[in-house]
Amino acid sequence: MMNAGYQQRPGDPGRREGTAARHAASEHTPGPSSGYDAELRRHNEVLRRAVRVQLHDHVLDIGCGTGQTTREAARTAQAGSALGVDVSAPAIERARELARAEGLRNVTFEHANAQVHRFPQERFDLAISRFGTMFFDNPVAAFANIRRALRPAGRLMRMVWQAHKRNEWDVAIHQSLGAAEGPVAGASGGPDPFSLADPPTVKEILEAAGFADVAFTDVHEPVYYGPDVAAALDWVCGFTCNAEVLKRLDPAAATLAVERLREALAAHMSDEGVWFNSRSWIVTARRH
């Protein structure tokens, strides 16, 4: 059962760079202050500080979803530009609506798969991604394509999840829902949000794609699931992967699984809502 970084909800603008739909904004009120953006608010602050977008930068945002990170880059790069790409057409349309509402004229969005899209060569100073690069069919080919879009010495800065066992949110959901049908991690052969968790593997992929100076920064920030247990339960049960597990269960088993999940969420309720510990990497590299 995947969630943070792989949270498609039925009817939502899903996104998954590489093959199918990845994550989505909330189906209730999609926007920069709800859903996925709210869940990753702490991570977003860390990534924004690390990226250090400059006034004249031209920025490429991979797996941009509804475009929060792209719009933030555009606001800083006032003499440059920002392009956000995502495989979800609804997410891109929503990103365009939000950019128009904010009056941003130096930001554009394209419905595209970054693995194969024909970007202008040597156009961008910086490529960024907030949990949008873990699902490529062919990571080496994807990052080689992104590399070609970067100018000489251009930077790549991505946030990806560390291993499953280091992410309390995923462990808790597995324990709550997985107990009903036995071990399920990776059993479906579906998307793996932890595919870029291993630094040696990631370094090998990026170097094969033409990047150098690969480095990793440990990020220890919590994810936010809602203001109360009811909202958090609705959010987590709405993830397509979790909903599919519940559908496979008979009604009695599904009820018990949801109750276990409710208890896990309640155990993480604080005065500021439902939060779970998480660990991620900021991976940096330079075009060789």
Side-chain angles (χ1 to χ4, degrees):
M1 278 71 64
M2 309 161 201
N3 60 16
Y6 180 61
Q7 294 141 279
Q8 184 186 0
R9 298 169 64 87
D12 281 350
R15 74 183 225 256
R16 177 181 159 210
E17 283 294 346
T19 50
R22 185 181 172 267
H23 174 62
S26 167
E27 68 181 358
H28 304 297
T29 52
S33 62
S34 63
Y36 188 51
D37 292 335
E39 179 180 328
L40 296 175
R41 64 180 70 173
R42 298 280 186 87
H43 297 77
N44 200 63
E45 293 171 4
V46 173
L47 182 63
R48 184 172 60 246
R49 290 195 299 267
V51 165
R52 303 188 312 278
V53 173
Q54 303 298 307
L55 178 66
H56 294 274
D57 277 347
H58 295 281
V59 182
L60 172 62
D61 189 0
I62 310 296
C64 67
T66 54
Q68 181 187 39
T69 47
T70 323
R71 297 192 307 276
E72 289 176 348
R75 285 194 290 268
T76 302
Q78 294 181 14
S81 67
L83 167 64
V85 297
D86 199 284
V87 296
S88 168
I92 289 298
E93 182 55 37
R94 180 58 175 160
R96 289 169 177 160
E97 292 174 358
L98 292 169
R100 286 194 294 268
E102 293 180 19
L104 293 172
R105 298 186 177 184
N106 65 333
V107 62
T108 55
F109 295 94
E110 292 188 21
H111 176 213
N113 182 342
Q115 179 170 310
V116 297
H117 185 65
R118 293 186 177 181
F119 295 109
Q121 293 196 16
E122 299 188 358
R123 163 65 175 166
F124 301 98
D125 303 286
L126 172 65
I128 65 174
S129 181
R130 188 188 68 185
F131 302 109
T133 62
M134 295 97 70
F135 307 107
F136 290 121
D137 291 330
N138 186 332
V140 173
F143 288 114
N145 192 43
I146 294 167
R147 174 193 173 276
R148 287 188 289 271
L150 288 172
R151 292 173 175 169
R155 295 183 295 145
L156 173 67
M157 299 198 69
R158 307 172 299 121
M159 186 170 271
V160 300
W161 295 115
Q162 293 188 27
H164 152 79
K165 65 183 180 181
R166 305 200 75 189
N167 280 280
E168 183 182 48
W169 53 267
D170 198 58
V171 171
I173 293 176
H174 271 79
Q175 290 176 344
S176 299
L177 302 187
E181 57 175 25
V184 295
S188 66
D192 180 7
F194 309 106
S195 66
L196 299 178
D198 179 56
T201 299
V202 173
K203 187 172 186 291
E204 182 178 347
I205 289 171
L206 291 177
E207 289 179 345
F211 286 92
D213 300 334
V214 181
F216 299 80
T217 300
D218 182 22
V219 177
H220 188 188
E221 292 289 348
V223 293
Y224 173 73
Y225 279 166
D228 52 48
V229 173
L233 185 66
D234 178 67
W235 177 242
V236 174
C237 286
F239 303 158
T240 297
C241 46
N242 296 344
E244 289 175 349
V245 170
L246 292 172
K247 285 179 182 179
R248 291 197 296 267
L249 302 176
D250 64 62
T255 298
L256 289 174
V258 170
E259 185 55 35
R260 282 193 298 269
L261 182 56
R262 186 192 306 274
E263 292 173 357
L265 296 170
H268 289 80
M269 179 69 193
S270 70
D271 292 340
E272 298 180 348
V274 180
W275 295 83
F276 280 81
N277 287 331
S278 76
R279 297 297 282 268
S280 59
W281 297 115
I282 290 179
V283 185
T284 61
R286 175 182 55 82
R287 174 177 168 160
H288 196 282

